Amino acid sequence: MGLRHEPLLRESAVLPPVLRVSFGLVAALAALVVVVLGVLYAGHSEPARVDRWIIQPTADSVGPPWRYLALATDFLGEPVGAATLVFAGVTGCLLLRCPRAAVLVVAGAGVTVGTTTLLKSVVGRTIHGDGNLSYPSGHTAFLTAFALTVALLATRRLRLGRSAGTALVLAAALVAGAAMGWAQVALGAHYPTDVLGGWCTALAVVPATAWLVDQVADTRPAVA
């Protein structure tokens, strides 16, 4: 009697179906915020009124020991720190046998950072000199994007429903964005509105990238 080979199931979506509608709306709203802020502050080289209300950006906003914490957080958005996080994320996904999630870790971070780089050139807002393009914050966008991908993987692994999954993903994005955003403002690298723009860029890009990864993966033939 011959052996039967059951077909292997496809890897589940990185953007769970129960979250697609809610995060589609989140992505659309976030994209609108990014555009509105970009139009408002295009070509500006001074903090806006809301920026001054929060804090006057300087290089000496915080002193030790908080400055050390800000520098350590900032490192996570620098090339070496960011590459380390992405490598750890990809390794973790592969160990969990989630290659689709590994693709999202790379694609989500890459597309988000690429989008912020493009927007900086288009908007042209600067801080501390003409050569320092500031809107949106790439550091904030990157760490938020990374947190979003990890939270989406956790939502899938834990099989959370729409409410719990949405809460987990948004909470992860909020914590990561707030931490990096604080560091960027404290170090005088960005205005608070730059940070908001970076956070919203990640919220707009990552769900769209996750959906695209799922669409491409689902068109591939199933492995028997």
Side-chain angles (χ1 to χ4, degrees), residues 12-31:
S12 55
V14 288
L15 182 62
V18 294
L19 299 184
R20 286 178 183 171
V21 173
S22 57
F23 275 94
L25 295 174
V26 167
L29 179 59

Side-chain angles (χ1 to χ4, degrees), residues 131-159:
N132 300 314
L133 296 173
S134 65
Y135 180 88
S137 168
H139 281 62
T140 306
F142 165 76
L143 195 62
T144 302
F146 182 77
L148 281 168
T149 58
V150 172
L152 286 172
L153 175 60
T155 297
R156 187 182 69 170
R157 297 285 296 184
L158 297 173
R159 298 183 180 181

Side-chain angles (χ1 to χ4, degrees), residues 148-186:
L148 281 168
T149 58
V150 172
L152 286 172
L153 175 60
T155 297
R156 187 182 69 170
R157 297 285 296 184
L158 297 173
R159 298 183 180 181
L160 299 180
R162 181 173 57 186
S163 297
T166 300
L168 174 62
V169 176
L170 289 179
L174 181 60
V175 170
M180 183 60 81
W182 166 79
Q184 295 307 297
V185 174

Side-chain angles (χ1 to χ4, degrees), residues 28-122:
L29 179 59
L32 178 61
V33 173
V34 171
V35 171
V36 170
L37 291 177
V39 171
L40 286 175
Y41 302 127
H44 285 212
S45 59
E46 297 291 336
R49 181 179 301 176
V50 65
D51 296 318
R52 292 192 184 96
W53 179 74
I54 297 173
I55 189 172
Q56 180 68 35
T58 69
D60 301 309
S61 298
V62 294
W66 293 107
R67 184 169 180 80
Y68 302 139
L69 178 59
L71 288 170
T73 305
D74 175 76
F75 173 75
L76 298 177
E78 293 294 314
V80 174
T84 301
L85 280 181
V86 170
F87 178 79
V90 170
T91 301
C93 290
L94 294 179
L95 290 175
L96 292 172
R97 298 182 180 180
C98 300
R100 192 184 298 196
V103 172
L104 179 62
V105 170
V106 176
V111 176
T112 299
V113 172
T115 301
T116 61
T117 301
L118 176 62
L119 287 172
K120 283 182 179 181
S121 299
V122 172

